[in-house]
Amino acid sequence: MRLSLNTATVRKQWNLAQMIDGCVRHGIEGISPWRDQIASIGLKKAKQLIREAGLTVTGVCRGGFFTAKDWKSDNLRAIEEAHELAAPALILVVGGMPQDSKDLAGTRQKIRDSISEILPEARKAGVPLAIEPLHPMQVARAAVNTLEQALDMCDALGEGTGVAVDVYHVWWDPKLESQIARAGARVLGYHICDWLPATRDLFNDRGMMGDGVIDLPKIRAYVEAAGYAGFQEVEIFSELDWWNRDPDEVLRTCVERHNRCC
Amino acid sequence: MRLSLNTATVRKQWNLAQMIDGCVRHGIEGISPWRDQIASIGLKKAKQLIREAGLTVTGVCRGGFFTAKDWKSDNLRAIEEAHELAAPALILVVGGMPQDSKDLAGTRQKIRDSISEILPEARKAGVPLAIEPLHPMQVARAAVNTLEQALDMCDALGEGTGVAVDVYHVWWDPKLESQIARAGARVLGYHICDWLPATRDLFNDRGMMGDGVIDLPKIRAYVEAAGYAGFQEVEIFSELDWWNRDPDEVLRTCVERHNRCC
């Protein structure tokens, strides 16, 4: 499986143009850009640079946050951008409970209804929507927290929906293997990094592949058995470590670990 | 439902004798002591003080850690102590992957096998074993992470096993209601606290009931519907807040919040 760079991995050091150059320099063939980075150089320019660099877009991050005020217009724009970049999916980080709410079930219903509302536009644009279950500790960012829950939503929503499998969020799940098998062709993205046993932060302390306790080859085998033939997308949020390093060192390490540990 | 004090809540301020006095002073009728606290005043003395205070023991914390070296002798002692204190259950914090291991499935198998090995002694002693699923972010402390997984183990292990439902660990679970219903009479303990939206630490930053986003009355209704008629046991690990406060203020707040928020 080829390697793709989720641009969150070097978000503190580089802009999108530099990230694209970095991918080329390190032989990384795919890229999954974040929308704020696209916006900062402009969609047209982003598209042009990615094409000139010969990179495959493996996703656009992110739509979602369905409990935010302007969720609908924002998601319609995200679909448009993903379409322009020929992304195989728009990744949805679905959002959590609104301030002062304790209504988790209601939030989940709102998420499902909202996806249903934008789905016709996504289908028209040919942009599959990838629901990404986030780790239960990140329920503030996303109230979809297991693959089973995400796939139940996909079952209800129908064509044009699928899941993004990020090892960081799902590696602990006792039903991981069975739910990836259930997902089948609905696996729209596969994100890698590692879980550090001494995690210091709930959001931004992901480890580099090989530095933690996730059995990456095993999960890779699960997604391959499900028929996934896309890229492995490295996505590392790391306030205390990788975001402070020379980005060329980061990419060099990603490539090396991708070859050795994944 | 009556209130019980899980002694972890004031572990930094008081010894067990002081905790027992504190319960009496604040009208808390149950107690769930930790074994290190029992050991520090002696089992006989602990038993005597709890009886004299008229408290109900709602659990003993903890057996488990089945991947540690001396797990078997330690768990047999824990069963004996729970028996002596007439606890309705020995709470099992099952332990995580050994150092340098990435074998999560193997760890889970080892946990099941170990419980199976001590179960005859627990049955003989009349001490039910309560498997406590821990939050997936605490996989280092426990590789049983959902109620469904814990109940699958109980199904396999049979009589004398059940689960401890701690809201902190399970509140996010999309299958919470259905799995509590499935547990039925196997709910051996019900632990309360709250989830803080801005959680600062993976282990020791629990909130006081009412300070977070958990819908406590809803989960209480689930366990009541399952037939649970025991205590609500407050268990707050809080390095940055409640462990630094006057323990009488802590217990006063527990009682007030128990009446108002649970």
Side-chain angles (χ1 to χ4, degrees), chain A residues 97 101-102 104 108 135-137 139 145-146 148-149 171-175 195 199 202 210 212-215, chain B residues 97 101-102 104-105 108 135-137 139 145-146 148-149 171-175 195 199 202 210 212-215:
Chain A
M97 288 185 283
S101 166
K102 300 190 184 199
L104 189 51
R108 288 166 168 166
H135 195 287
M137 72 182 174
V139 68
N145 305 103
T146 63
E148 184 171 26
Q149 182 193 6
W171 75 281
W172 59 270
D173 189 343
K175 303 179 87 170
W195 176 272
T199 300
L202 275 71
V213 295
I214 301 179
D215 187 340
Chain B
M97 288 186 282
S101 166
K102 301 190 184 198
L104 189 52
R108 287 167 167 165
H135 195 287
M137 72 182 173
V139 67
N145 305 102
T146 64
E148 185 171 25
Q149 182 193 6
W171 75 281
W172 59 270
D173 189 344
K175 301 179 90 169
W195 176 273
T199 300
L202 276 70
V213 295
I214 301 179
D215 188 339

Side-chain angles (χ1 to χ4, degrees), chain A residues 76-223:
Chain A
L76 294 179
R77 274 197 306 277
I79 289 168
E80 180 57 28
E81 290 167 27
H83 169 78
E84 276 299 312
L85 294 171
L90 174 65
I91 307 296
L92 301 182
V93 175
V94 297
M97 288 185 283
Q99 186 105 36
D100 299 323
S101 166
K102 300 190 184 199
D103 186 7
L104 189 51
T107 300
R108 288 166 168 166
Q109 187 57 50
K110 165 81 171 88
I111 289 164
R112 207 181 99 172
D113 293 346
S114 302
I115 297 176
S116 165
E117 214 173 313
I118 59 167
L119 187 53
E121 290 304 317
R123 285 180 182 145
K124 229 183 292 172
V127 174
L129 300 177
I131 302 172
E132 182 171 5
L134 258 55
H135 195 287
M137 72 182 174
Q138 297 187 3
V139 68
R141 197 179 273 172
V144 173
N145 305 103
T146 63
L147 270 175
E148 184 171 26
Q149 182 193 6
L151 288 166
D152 286 349
M153 276 195 189
C154 292
D155 285 349
L157 290 161
E159 208 199 306
T161 60
V163 293
V165 177
D166 184 315
V167 296
Y168 193 76
H169 295 307
V170 301
W171 75 281
W172 59 270
D173 189 343
K175 303 179 87 170
L176 182 57
E177 183 176 7
S178 63
Q179 293 301 316
I180 289 176
R182 172 188 171 197
R186 293 179 294 183
V187 176
L188 300 175
Y190 177 54
H191 300 182
I192 54 172
C193 67
D194 216 331
W195 176 272
L196 302 174
T199 300
R200 297 158 290 180
D201 181 88
L202 275 71
F203 293 100
N204 298 316
D205 194 23
R206 296 182 176 211
M208 178 63 67
M209 296 81 76
D211 287 346
V213 295
I214 301 179
D215 187 340
L216 290 161
K218 191 175 214 174
I219 303 182
R220 173 196 174 152
Y222 294 162
V223 297

Side-chain angles (χ1 to χ4, degrees), chain B residues 59-117:
Chain B
V60 165
C61 294
R62 58 165 182 70
F65 277 82
F66 297 111
T67 48
K69 234 178 188 161
D70 63 341
W71 70 269
K72 189 160 182 188
S73 57
D74 189 57
N75 275 281
L76 294 180
R77 274 196 306 275
I79 289 168
E80 180 56 27
E81 290 168 25
H83 169 77
E84 276 298 312
L85 294 172
L90 174 65
I91 308 297
L92 301 183
V93 175
V94 298
M97 288 186 282
Q99 187 104 37
D100 299 325
S101 166
K102 301 190 184 198
D103 185 7
L104 189 52
T107 299
R108 287 167 167 165
Q109 187 57 50
K110 165 81 171 88
I111 289 164
R112 208 181 96 172
D113 293 346
S114 302
I115 297 176
S116 165
E117 214 173 314

Side-chain angles (χ1 to χ4, degrees), chain B:
Chain B
M1 266 197 228
R2 288 182 293 169
L3 182 61
S4 171
L5 175 70
N6 183 296
T7 59
T9 308
V10 285
R11 68 150 62 138
K12 291 287 171 78
Q13 303 101 315
W14 275 343
N15 65 31
L16 185 53
Q18 293 171 305
M19 291 164 181
I20 292 166
D21 285 347
C23 284
V24 172
R25 205 157 54 244
H26 292 275
I28 296 171
E29 298 170 272
I31 193 163
S32 182
W34 281 67
R35 291 182 60 219
D36 56 331
Q37 297 158 352
I38 295 169
S40 75
I41 66 168
L43 178 59
K44 207 176 145 186
K45 181 84 177 165
K47 186 177 173 178
Q48 184 203 331
L49 291 179
I50 290 170
R51 194 184 43 223
E52 286 172 4
L55 299 178
T56 300
V57 173
T58 61
V60 165
C61 294
R62 58 165 182 70
F65 277 82
F66 297 111
T67 48
K69 234 178 188 161
D70 63 341
W71 70 269
K72 189 160 182 188
S73 57
D74 189 57
N75 275 281
L76 294 180
R77 274 196 306 275
I79 289 168
E80 180 56 27
E81 290 168 25
H83 169 77
E84 276 298 312
L85 294 172
L90 174 65
I91 308 297
L92 301 183
V93 175
V94 298
M97 288 186 282
Q99 187 104 37
D100 299 325
S101 166
K102 301 190 184 198
D103 185 7
L104 189 52
T107 299
R108 287 167 167 165
Q109 187 57 50
K110 165 81 171 88
I111 289 164
R112 208 181 96 172
D113 293 346
S114 302
I115 297 176
S116 165
E117 214 173 314
I118 59 166
L119 188 54
E121 291 303 317
R123 285 181 183 144
K124 230 184 290 173
V127 174
L129 299 178
I131 302 172
E132 182 171 5
L134 258 55
H135 195 287
M137 72 182 173
Q138 297 187 3
V139 67
R141 196 179 274 172
V144 173
N145 305 102
T146 64
L147 271 174
E148 185 171 25
Q149 182 193 6
L151 288 166
D152 286 349
M153 277 196 189
C154 292
D155 285 350
L157 291 161
E159 208 199 306
T161 61
V163 293
V165 177
D166 185 315
V167 297
Y168 194 75
H169 296 307
V170 301
W171 75 281
W172 59 270
D173 189 344
K175 301 179 90 169
L176 182 58
E177 183 176 8
S178 63
Q179 293 301 315
I180 289 176
R182 172 188 170 197
R186 293 178 294 181
V187 176
L188 301 176
Y190 177 55
H191 299 182
I192 54 173
C193 67
D194 216 331
W195 176 273
L196 301 175
T199 300
R200 296 158 291 180
D201 182 88
L202 276 70
F203 293 100
N204 298 315
D205 194 24
R206 295 182 175 208
M208 177 64 66
M209 297 80 77
D211 288 346
V213 295
I214 301 179
D215 188 339
L216 290 162
K218 191 174 213 172
I219 303 181
R220 174 196 173 150
Y222 295 162
V223 297
E224 283 180 327
Y228 179 75
F231 286 63
Q232 300 200 62
E233 183 178 313
V234 57
E235 185 180 29
I236 300 176
F237 295 80
S238 173
E239 194 77 68
L240 298 163
D241 190 349
W242 297 97
W243 283 347
N244 302 317
R245 299 209 201 187
D246 169 15
D248 276 300
E249 179 199 343
V250 177
L251 294 204
R252 200 161 40 240
T253 310
C254 287
V255 170
E256 189 264 320
R257 299 296 179 84
H258 174 249
N259 291 332
R260 189 159 60 81
C261 311
C262 303

